[in-house]
């Protein structure tokens, strides 16, 4: 049975970063989001979004708010954007970050440049009939991508949007555009 968007509960990790923008996106898609700040909220979610921010700071907050372990145990669909993608990966180039290891890729922090080098670029995404405008802000690059990972989007040759089972990661910020297609794609995974 396919669920309607309005029947789905999606959690957005509300520690820092652009979580309000994800909330607005989901509301436009008729989903009622929960902003996750307490461990007991995690099990109520049929899917979870980890927004951007600062993966080092988010590591500290996840630990101090007792959210790291319950998120590690969570098996539902997850979508990480930018810093959220770094947290979902298995490792990165910064020992201060702890990883939830939901997708077997390595990430390289800030590899697309510093804040001042932020940019918007058209991304070709599999099954989308037109480009998606990717907003890149101190964005990570994905490395050591193994065959069981599906590359859904690339910027030039560089993979920037990946799927592994029910886990999605993007280097860029789809919540900072008006384009709802990537959020709907995540909802389709839940349905
Ligand atoms: N550079 C940040 C990090 O490494 C991510 C930036 C972002 O989420 N926009 O955590």
């Amino acid at each position: 049975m396919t669920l309607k968007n309005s029947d789905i509960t999606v959690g957005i990790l509300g520690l820092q970063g652009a979580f309000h923008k994800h909330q607005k996106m989901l509301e436009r898609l008729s989903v009622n989001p929960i902003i996750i700040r307490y461990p007991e909220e995690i099990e109520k979610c049929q899917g979870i979004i980890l927004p951007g921010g600062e993966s080092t700071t988010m590591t500290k907050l996840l630990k101090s708010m007792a959210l790291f372990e319950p998120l590690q145990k969570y098996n539902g669909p997850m979508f990480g954007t930018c810093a959220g993608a770094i947290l979902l990966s298995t490792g990165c180039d910064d020992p201060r970050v702890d990883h939830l290891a939901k997708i077997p890729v390595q990430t390289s922090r800030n590899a697309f440049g510093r804040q001042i080098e932020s940019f918007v670029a058209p991304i070709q995404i599999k099954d989308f009939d037109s480009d998606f405008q990717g907003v890149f802000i101190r964005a990570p690059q994905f490395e050591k991508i193994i065959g069981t990972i599906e590359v859904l989007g690339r910027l030039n040759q560089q993979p920037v949007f990946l799927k592994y089972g029910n886990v999605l990661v993007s280097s860029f910020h789809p919540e900072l555009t008006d384009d709802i297609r990537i959020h709907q794609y995540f909802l389709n995974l839940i349905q």
Side-chain angles (χ1 to χ4, degrees), residues 128-180:
F128 283 16
D129 52 15
S130 60
D131 288 349
F132 193 95
Q133 295 305 311
V135 180
F136 291 79
I137 305 169
R138 292 181 299 117
Q141 282 181 9
F142 301 124
E143 292 166 355
K144 301 191 184 149
I145 295 167
I146 57 169
T148 46
I149 293 177
E150 196 179 352
V151 178
L152 296 175
R154 290 181 196 269
L155 172 62
N156 305 322
Q157 288 312 305
Q158 182 67 38
V160 291
F161 184 36
L162 309 177
K163 176 177 184 292
Y164 180 69
N166 59 3
V167 175
L168 292 179
V169 290
S170 66
S171 298
F172 55 94
H173 289 270
E175 79 284 7
L176 298 183
T177 65
D178 275 338
D179 196 333
I180 54 173

Side-chain angles (χ1 to χ4, degrees), residues 14-15 36-39 59-68 70:
L15 304 181
I36 300 176
R37 296 206 178 85
Y38 298 97
T59 297
K60 281 191 206 146
L61 291 171
L62 285 175
K63 293 269 164 100
S64 65
M65 295 169 80
L67 291 167
F68 193 86

Side-chain angles (χ1 to χ4, degrees), residues 63-79:
K63 293 269 164 100
S64 65
M65 295 169 80
L67 291 167
F68 193 86
E69 272 188 30
L71 282 175
Q72 229 171 6
K73 289 194 186 120
Y74 184 79
N75 281 322
M78 294 177 110
F79 176 25

Side-chain angles (χ1 to χ4, degrees), residues 82-99:
C82 205
I86 298 172
L87 293 172
L88 289 179
S89 73
T90 35
C92 76
D93 49 354
D94 190 329
R96 294 172 298 173
V97 180
D98 283 336
H99 299 272

Side-chain angles (χ1 to χ4, degrees), residues 19-89:
F19 66 87
H20 287 299
K21 299 282 187 183
H22 282 289
Q23 183 177 5
K24 290 253 152 56
M25 257 324 181
L26 293 177
E27 284 166 357
R28 276 179 61 196
L29 288 162
S30 313
V31 173
N32 225 341
I34 298 184
I35 304 301
I36 300 176
R37 296 206 178 85
Y38 298 97
E40 54 275 19
E41 287 158 339
I42 290 173
E43 66 208 31
K44 296 182 195 148
C45 301
Q46 287 155 294
I48 294 180
I49 295 178
L50 280 74
E54 201 56 53
S55 49
T56 48
T57 309
M58 283 165 84
T59 297
K60 281 191 206 146
L61 291 171
L62 285 175
K63 293 269 164 100
S64 65
M65 295 169 80
L67 291 167
F68 193 86
E69 272 188 30
L71 282 175
Q72 229 171 6
K73 289 194 186 120
Y74 184 79
N75 281 322
M78 294 177 110
F79 176 25
T81 56
C82 205
I86 298 172
L87 293 172
L88 289 179
S89 73

